[in-house]
Amino acid sequence: MQLKDRVAVVTGAAQGIGAAVARAYAREGARVALVDMHGDAARRVAGEIEAGGGEAIGLGCDVTDRAQVDAMAAAVDAAWGRVDVLVNNAGITRTAMAHKMTATQWQQVLDVHLTGSFNCLQAVIGGMIERRSGRLIFVTSAAGVLGTIGQINYSAAKAGILGMTKSAAREFARYGITANAIAPGAATPMTETIRTDEKFRDRYLARIPLGRWAEPDEVAPVFVFFASDASAYVTGQVLAADGGLTID
Ligand SMILES: NC(=O)c1ccc[n+]([C@@H]2O[C@H](COP(=O)([O-])OP(=O)(O)OC[C@H]3O[C@@H](n4cnc5c(N)ncnc54)[C@H](O)[C@@H]3O)[C@@H](O)[C@H]2O)c1
């Protein structure tokens, strides 16, 4: 088991990629806190992990709310005494062309991806510094590198996450803490429109060299890698598990 006894916090873990990562971490022996604004759904997935012999708790928390994030970190600390791995995975899209995007759509996306990731980092980093070890894993996207139509907010947020990852890697390397980002592509509720709408589906698939969507379980092993000893000497990097979408 690659993550035996490690304590991991995975945000946005009620469904999609976050739930798959939480399950993969538990299979590798980690104790996993599944954090999501939909607390009941997070607790349901945590219950399934426990029923399968893993160790997990589900916690309701809106990552944009600093008080809720601090309470979440305190709950994990009370349960297991520390956080070794933080996966900043919670995310949303609010799609609109830039000239029609509302200020609320713009702000909500920046709040969840950027402020949410920053809040969670601040809530757990003190303990990691004290212990001189820790893993920060951010989730970016091809949209942050290539740009995308109708998602200027999301592209800006995901590009911002690359900057956060690299800054965190430089700031915390002296404490033995690594920070890396993953750019996944996977079939989840978030991508339902582009996967099912004929207008988008074929065009998008044609841009993926592997020619298909991934299942969340196919991208989860990359998250295991960045949480495990195998990546001990890797920091400030971005690994795309996107079927080759970003080869160019
Ligand atoms: N699916 C893809 O192809 C793809 C591609 C690139 C990047 N990503 C990124 O991967 C991550 C996971 O995406 P997914 O496809 O699994 O999405 P998803 O919509 O299936 O799941 C996202 C989860 O985040 C939670 N969430 C949203 N806002 C939150 C908040 N404020 N506080 C706490 N939880 C919140 C949701 O409740 C949900 O459970 C996101 O950061 C997304 O941007 C996904």
Side-chain angles (χ1 to χ4, degrees):
M1 288 204 206
Q2 298 184 67
L3 305 178
K4 187 141 178 47
D5 296 332
R6 271 178 218 181
V7 176
V9 167
V10 182
T11 69
Q15 64 177 37
I17 292 167
V21 170
R23 289 192 179 100
Y25 278 11
R27 277 196 301 273
E28 291 295 339
R31 288 171 257 180
V32 190
L34 292 90
V35 174
D36 203 285
M37 64 191 302
H38 298 299
D40 286 345
R43 279 184 282 277
R44 216 169 23 248
V45 181
E48 289 165 15
I49 290 173
E50 292 243 290
E55 227 180 314
I57 50 173
L59 297 168
C61 167
D62 179 343
V63 296
T64 66
D65 182 322
R66 186 55 200 256
Q68 289 188 39
V69 170
D70 287 344
M72 173 276 287
V76 178
D77 210 44
W80 295 318
R82 64 183 194 278
V83 175
D84 301 308
V85 181
L86 168 67
V87 180
N88 272 320
N89 167 78
I92 59 167
T93 53
R94 294 288 181 269
T95 302
M97 296 297 277
H99 62 294
K100 294 182 182 162
M101 187 172 285
T102 65
T104 304
Q105 288 175 316
W106 168 259
Q107 197 60 51
Q108 281 178 337
V109 169
L110 264 59
D111 283 349
V112 175
H113 293 273
L114 292 177
T115 308
S117 295
F118 178 70
N119 284 342
C120 293
L121 181 155
Q122 276 206 323
V124 305
I125 200 71
M128 290 183 176
I129 290 172
E130 269 172 33
R131 289 186 301 280
R132 295 291 193 271
S133 80
R135 299 298 173 91
L136 303 170
I137 301 172
F138 294 84
V139 180
T140 182
S141 166
V145 181
L146 305 176
T148 179
I149 294 170
Q151 295 191 324
I152 201 167
N153 48 2
Y154 184 77
S155 302
K158 289 307 197 186
I161 282 174
L162 293 175
M164 286 179 75
T165 303
K166 291 177 184 188
S167 295
R170 289 187 190 280
E171 284 194 19
F172 302 119
R174 72 198 69 177
Y175 304 113
I177 298 163
T178 66
N180 292 287
I182 296 163
T188 67
M190 182 180 276
T191 54
E192 187 168 354
T193 308
I194 42 175
R195 282 184 294 111
T196 52
D197 189 319
E198 274 178 35
K199 224 171 39 210
F200 302 114
R201 195 187 53 210
D202 295 345
R203 227 171 353 144
Y204 200 95
L205 270 180
R207 293 170 56 207
I208 301 177
L210 286 182
R212 63 178 180 83
W213 293 90
E215 290 304 319
D217 283 344
E218 289 184 287
V219 302
V222 181
F223 288 78
V224 172
F225 170 68
F226 280 130
S228 76
D229 290 343
S231 64
Y233 201 58
V234 183
T235 197
Q237 304 303 307
V238 185
L239 207 164
D242 63 1
L245 177 65
T246 49
I247 283 176
D248 289 340

